[in-house]
Amino acid sequence: MKSVRILCICLLTVSAVIGNEKCPGVTVNVSEESDVILPCSLSTNQNLEQKLFDWRKKAPTKQEVFMYDGGLHYNNGRPGQDEHFRGRVSHFPQELQFGNASIIIIRNTTVADSGVYTCDFPHLQPEQRFCIKLVVGAAPKPFVGILNISEDEALLKCEVRGASPKPKVEWRDSDGNILPAEEPQVSHTGERYDITLLTTVTRTNSSLFHCVATQEELGHVTRD
Ligand SMILES: *[C@@H]1O[C@H](CO)[C@@H](O)[C@H](O)[C@H]1NC(C)=O
Ligand SMILES: *[C@@H]1O[C@H](CO)[C@@H](O)[C@H](O)[C@H]1NC(C)=O
Ligand SMILES: *[C@@H]1O[C@H](CO)[C@@H](O)[C@H](O)[C@H]1NC(C)=O
Ligand SMILES: *[C@@H]1O[C@H](CO)[C@@H](O)[C@H](O)[C@H]1NC(C)=O
Ligand SMILES: *[C@@H]1O[C@H](CO)[C@@H](O)[C@H](O)[C@H]1NC(C)=O
């Protein structure tokens, strides 16, 4: 009966492979500076108040995020939490009795929080582990400008700075058609991308041009 329930979780969610371990999990996407809940719940709903669970970040960096052991945890004296998460992570005490070990990362998620997190119950039989992939996106508005203008043509520049994950940047006309443009200039610092896209348009009275940045991972579209 128990194994059937666990199988259901696996079917409903994405399986992330971490190293050689398979770990049922989900992907959570948020934009920068928002709060996020990383879900972790036992299908058995067993009371966790006196149990141990440990949240770690596994990739791309290894960090101790939140450990709870029978009431003692990182927010009430237990040492060992990574500096990066200090004061930003908490659990839901009232949910523990229902087998819910979800945590919230509060305050100001940044692109650097992106990665794979694991939620472990090392003392349970059988031992349980869940994986959560967190994608923190930064979606700055594109900045547009006119580089050169003549009687019948204009050279337009669209600049997106510090976006993450890497967006697709396009010039479009007022009907939404994609305009031919030069090869985008892309540079990045860590996970953040700067993209510049130039296009030459013919000046017609009615034309309105937009620069559109799309981050498919986030289902996110920003435009000038
Ligand atoms: C676990 O608790 C969090 C915070 O209250 C809630 O958002 C989430 O839905 C709960 N998960 C389950 C499976 O009940
Ligand atoms: C959020 O973090 C950024 C840099 O990571 C900082 O500049 C900003 O002040 C922070 N905002 C809050 C509300 O803490
Ligand atoms: C602007 O465009 C005109 C005509 O296309 C060209 O002659 C001129 O060199 C351009 N100026 C700059 C600064 O690129
Ligand atoms: C553009 O403006 C010119 C004069 O201002 C006018 O003669 C012409 O019909 C206009 N074209 C369109 C497509 O509106
Ligand atoms: C979250 O992002 C991943 C790719 O990083 C994507 O496959 C998934 O569909 C997104 N999920 C949601 C709910 O937006």
Side-chain angles (χ1 to χ4, degrees):
M1 197 56 198
K2 191 191 282 177
S3 65
V4 171
R5 280 186 181 162
I6 291 168
L7 184 65
C8 287
I9 293 177
C10 296
L11 289 174
L12 284 172
T13 57
V14 188
S15 268
V17 180
I18 297 163
N20 294 319
E21 300 157 308
K22 274 206 161 181
C23 181
V26 289
T27 298
V28 177
N29 302 329
V30 290
S31 44
E32 217 170 14
E33 294 178 18
S34 56
D35 300 357
V36 62
I37 292 174
L38 303 184
C40 179
S41 263
L42 293 176
S43 55
T44 53
N45 296 338
Q46 69 176 283
N47 191 325
L48 295 172
E49 283 166 337
Q50 296 308 318
K51 299 283 193 276
L52 185 151
F53 62 87
D54 190 16
W55 278 93
R56 277 180 235 165
K57 191 174 177 191
K58 282 290 202 203
T61 51
K62 291 196 183 347
Q63 287 164 308
E64 263 301 325
V65 179
F66 190 81
M67 185 187 269
Y68 176 98
D69 188 2
L72 187 61
H73 52 81
Y74 286 158
N75 291 342
N76 68 5
R78 172 179 271 279
Q81 186 176 38
D82 191 283
E83 197 60 46
H84 179 74
F85 294 101
R86 186 153 302 162
R88 302 175 60 220
V89 181
S90 52
H91 69 305
F92 297 94
Q94 70 285 3
E95 296 282 349
L96 293 177
Q97 56 186 310
F98 309 117
N100 184 344
S102 301
I103 55 165
I104 184 168
I105 295 190
I106 46 162
R107 272 221 305 272
N108 230 358
T109 50
T110 77
V111 170
D113 293 325
S114 297
V116 177
Y117 292 74
T118 56
C119 168
D120 278 294
F121 300 90
H123 298 165
L124 292 187
Q125 291 299 329
E127 190 180 323
Q128 297 227 34
R129 157 170 289 192
F130 298 89
C131 294
I132 291 89
K133 184 179 173 197
L134 175 64
V135 181
V136 181
K141 267 178 86 106
F143 171 80
V144 300
I146 298 169
L147 289 188
N148 192 2
I149 193 157
S150 66
E151 250 172 53
D152 48 358
E153 276 187 347
L155 178 62
L156 306 180
K157 170 167 126 166
C158 173
E159 215 172 354
V160 178
R161 300 188 71 87
S164 184
K166 185 180 169 185
K168 184 175 70 186
V169 179
E170 289 163 335
W171 275 104
R172 298 198 185 182
D173 67 14
S174 50
D175 298 327
N177 302 311
I178 297 169
L179 302 172
E182 291 177 19
E183 198 55 34
Q185 298 158 31
V186 181
S187 63
H188 67 98
T189 319
E191 293 295 303
R192 293 179 190 273
Y193 288 84
D194 295 342
I195 298 181
T196 304
L197 185 65
L198 303 179
T199 188
T200 303
V201 295
T202 312
R203 293 180 74 187
T204 57
N205 324 4
S206 57
S207 291
L208 238 162
F209 303 102
H210 299 286
C211 180
V212 182
T214 313
Q215 285 158 309
E216 263 146 27
E217 291 89 341
L218 305 173
H220 207 144
V221 180
T222 53
R223 44 181 281 172
D224 56 311

